[in-house]
Amino acid sequence: MTDTPTRPLRIVVHPDDNVAIIVNEGGLRAGTVFEDGLTLTEDIPEAHKIALVDLPRGSRVIRYGVTIGATNADIPCGAWVHEGLLELPPAPELSEVPFGGAVLPAQEPLKGFTFEGFRNDDGTVGTRNILGISTTVQCVAATVDFAVKRIKAELLPKYPNVDDVIGITHIYGCGVAINAPGSEIPIRTLRNLSLNPNLGGAPMVVSLGCEKLQPAQMLPASTLPILQGSPYVVRLQDEEHTSFGEMVAAIMELAEKRLIELDKRRRVTCPASDLVVGLQCGGSDAFSGVTANPAVGFATDLLVRAGATVMFSEVTEVRDGIHLLTARAAEDEVARDLVREMQWYDDYLAHGGVDRSANPSPGNKKGGLNNIVEKAMGSIAKSGIGTIHGVSGHGERVTKKGLIFAATPASDFVCGTLQLAAGMNMHVFTTGRGTPYGLAMAPVIKVTSRTSLAKRWSDLIDINAGTIATGDQTIEQVGWEIFHMILEVASGRQQTCADRWGLHNEFALFNPAPIT
């Protein structure tokens, strides 16, 4: 707790809330008196909740205007409302969520905003120009990683218009039930990763030869003719590869052919509507839902007004707000699709013997998030206030414009991988506790919820939304800052902290099917 004399600050999100969160860095000590006379009865850490009224046992605790739990003990006004004092309420019944096309305030189109991108033959646009080497099976991962290091050292310098070379390696492809229910998710994820806009829209694939996931199954139907003598597919078990050195040489030879093509590409002016932006939060805290996520939500609305595609995800972290999302669905079909994805994940968790209470993490709780209801209300703020235009399943490619719910688990790395498969060419990631998360295939803009983290990790955080909590900036101001940075990074004119350090996490497939 801080001993430095300072004006005590708290944040109330909604007029109906009976708790607030402490803003002051380091928290506040017992006896601290707010300007309105509210007095702390005990020490309360930063970002944690204070009772604004007496809360007898069994009382509803309200934050964001919704019930986030019921008290299991008497909590006096001014006391710390923490995880141990709350009982998790039941999740909203999926059979009772509201349907009916959303009637939301019309938002004026945002015109004239552009970025410099790489236009692909399939109509998509890349924010990077990357050679991606896909793999059909984990057995070739080490060989591809070895080859990628040599390609970067020996070939890439000859092709200055190519930004990077990455291996799309994973632990799938064999030793799995390839046709079992759920197996379509990792297969289509790999398929769509190979077609991400930042890879130029054409796959290069390394196969072993004997694996269950053959190139013909992984690649989309439109690329199947390529497999007959294709210059962009190599099988390591082919008879002409009589040594490891020849395998690596074959990969490098194919890579150079692809590099020659990619090097011809140039950035051209593209409308902001060609952006496909994925949103995610990780290492969240109680500030995330009042600073970083609402600011990203404001930027989301700006992007949608400009005609872009924006994806929000993380099923578990929106499940408790599903009634708020179906009410924003453009039509009944979209609402039904939202319910379908929630039900699928409910069943998936139940099959594993757990439920939504397995989320949040210990770090989330230390940051003031007591349970998944509170976390979900803050997470949904990233989606802004506009109409939801579509829903995509795990690993599916998004083809609609506007605000889209792209179903993913809440795991940072699985979510990022699935959003890349969905076609994401830009990523915005909010964090309260902090994480060095990054992606090689798309730039990741990090937005922090707390000024203290922005100061401590100044070389890892791109935008500080903590200024909203102290009143130094508004949600709108930070939202515009995020919007403009997206355009700058997408154009290659500005580099994110993660890219500056080369912090790129591995791909993480979601595979709910059995492993044999």
Side-chain angles (χ1 to χ4, degrees):
M1 302 296 163
T2 180
D3 290 312
T4 304
T6 183
R7 183 168 67 96
L9 297 174
R10 67 180 191 260
I11 292 179
V12 178
V13 180
H14 189 278
D16 293 339
D17 289 359
N18 54 20
V19 293
I21 62 170
I22 299 298
V23 173
N24 301 77
E25 184 176 347
L28 294 173
R29 291 195 176 278
T32 298
V33 181
F34 288 88
E35 291 179 354
D36 62 356
L38 178 67
T39 303
L40 268 63
T41 63
E42 57 187 312
D43 294 352
I44 302 182
E46 177 187 9
H48 284 250
K49 287 177 287 297
I50 177 177
L52 300 178
V53 296
D54 289 333
L55 296 171
R57 180 186 177 92
S59 297
R60 294 188 306 142
V61 176
I62 302 173
R63 188 172 181 230
Y64 297 106
V66 303
T67 299
I68 64 170
T71 60
N72 57 24
D74 294 340
I75 304 176
C77 179
W80 181 11
V81 181
H82 55 75
E83 176 194 5
L85 298 174
L86 293 184
E87 299 296 329
L88 182 67
E93 289 290 342
L94 294 176
S95 60
E96 299 175 3
V97 298
F99 275 43
V103 182
L104 300 174
Q107 293 185 305
E108 184 180 353
L110 201 59
K111 300 179 180 179
F113 288 95
T114 62
F115 69 101
E116 303 300 309
F118 298 96
R119 194 164 292 284
N120 299 317
D121 291 341
D122 63 0
T124 62
V125 173
T127 61
R128 286 178 170 172
N129 187 26
I130 297 172
L131 168 60
I133 304 178
S134 299
T135 58
T136 57
V137 65
Q138 69 267 35
C139 308
V140 303
T143 302
V144 168
D145 288 342
F146 183 92
V148 166
K149 291 177 182 176
R150 285 195 55 187
I151 293 166
K152 286 186 176 184
E154 300 171 28
L155 298 181
L156 190 58
K158 294 161 48 178
Y159 303 99
N161 295 312
V162 182
D163 297 319
D164 200 3
V165 180
I166 62 173
I168 305 175
T169 58
H170 51 88
I171 58 169
Y172 192 71
C174 211
V176 294
I178 200 73
N179 294 315
S183 62
E184 71 279 2
I185 291 175
I187 294 172
R188 73 181 174 218
T189 299
L190 289 170
R191 175 183 304 151
N192 289 330
L193 281 172
S194 72
L195 297 177
N196 183 276
N198 290 349
L199 305 185
M204 173 182 166
V205 181
V206 175
S207 162
L208 183 61
C210 63
E211 65 270 25
K212 288 184 178 180
L213 181 58
Q214 290 288 307
Q217 186 174 2
M218 191 189 86
L219 295 174
S222 61
T223 66
L224 290 181
I226 293 177
L227 293 180
Q228 305 303 318
S230 164
Y232 300 138
V233 178
V234 60
R235 296 174 183 82
L236 299 187
Q237 289 178 343
D238 285 356
E239 291 183 0
E240 63 265 26
H241 304 142
T242 60
S243 68
F244 177 72
E246 288 191 2
M247 294 177 192
V248 174
I251 295 171
M252 294 182 69
E253 180 181 351
L254 300 182
E256 185 150 30
K257 291 179 180 179
R258 187 76 183 112
L259 286 168
I260 290 170
E261 294 301 314
L262 291 171
D263 196 57
K264 297 175 183 176
R265 292 155 55 81
R266 299 291 185 275
R267 290 187 183 270
V268 296
T269 301
C270 303
S273 58
D274 285 328
L275 287 168
V276 182
V277 181
L279 311 177
Q280 190 185 169
C281 47
S284 301
D285 67 358
F287 283 122
S288 295
V290 294
T291 60
N293 289 350
V296 169
F298 187 87
T300 293
D301 293 333
L302 295 176
L303 288 162
V304 171
R305 287 171 57 194
T309 299
V310 183
M311 297 181 285
F312 71 109
S313 299
E314 302 167 288
V315 173
T316 311
E317 295 180 7
V318 303
R319 172 63 175 86
D320 278 271
I322 184 59
H323 55 297
L324 305 176
L325 299 180
T326 55
R328 292 166 54 190
E331 52 193 10
D332 283 357
E333 182 181 1
V334 174
R336 281 192 291 269
D337 289 345
L338 283 165
V339 170
R340 176 198 71 210
E341 294 301 332
M342 300 301 116
Q343 186 62 64
W344 188 95
Y345 216 84
D346 282 357
D347 296 341
Y348 168 72
L349 290 176
H351 182 71
V354 298
D355 60 24
R356 76 201 209 283
S357 65
N359 190 327
S361 71
N364 295 149
K365 294 175 182 179
K366 190 173 182 180
L369 291 175
N370 289 158
N371 58 35
I372 189 57
V373 183
E374 183 179 12
K375 189 176 183 182
M377 292 305 110
S379 177
I380 286 173
K382 298 194 301 296
S383 68
I385 61 173
T387 301
I388 301 171
H389 296 95
V391 177
S392 69
H394 297 83
E396 290 180 349
R397 198 172 191 188
V398 171
T399 57
K400 288 185 177 180
K401 296 286 188 181
L403 181 62
I404 306 294
F405 179 73
T408 76
S411 164
D412 296 349
F413 313 111
V414 178
C415 176
T417 299
L418 290 173
Q419 288 188 338
L420 287 169
M424 173 177 74
N425 56 19
M426 281 291 308
H427 199 44
V428 179
F429 188 102
T430 65
T431 185
R433 305 293 295 170
T435 170
Y437 170 94
L439 298 171
M441 198 180 287
V444 178
I445 295 174
K446 287 271 190 47
V447 183
T448 183
S449 67
R450 295 185 296 129
T451 297
S452 56
L453 179 63
K455 290 178 179 177
R456 186 160 50 91
W457 283 14
S458 60
D459 53 357
L460 285 172
I461 298 299
D462 298 295
I463 292 177
N464 175 25
T467 52
I468 296 169
T470 54
D472 296 306
Q473 283 185 291
T474 64
I475 289 172
E476 291 82 359
Q477 287 172 326
V478 179
W480 273 107
E481 184 181 356
I482 294 167
F483 177 77
H484 286 299
M485 186 172 184
I486 289 171
L487 296 178
E488 289 298 297
V489 172
S491 300
R493 291 189 291 261
Q494 188 170 347
Q495 191 177 42
T496 66
C497 289
D499 283 343
R500 192 176 306 126
W501 291 111
L503 296 175
H504 301 143
N505 291 94
E506 299 293 330
F507 295 97
L509 296 184
F510 179 41
N511 176 28
I515 296 177
T516 60

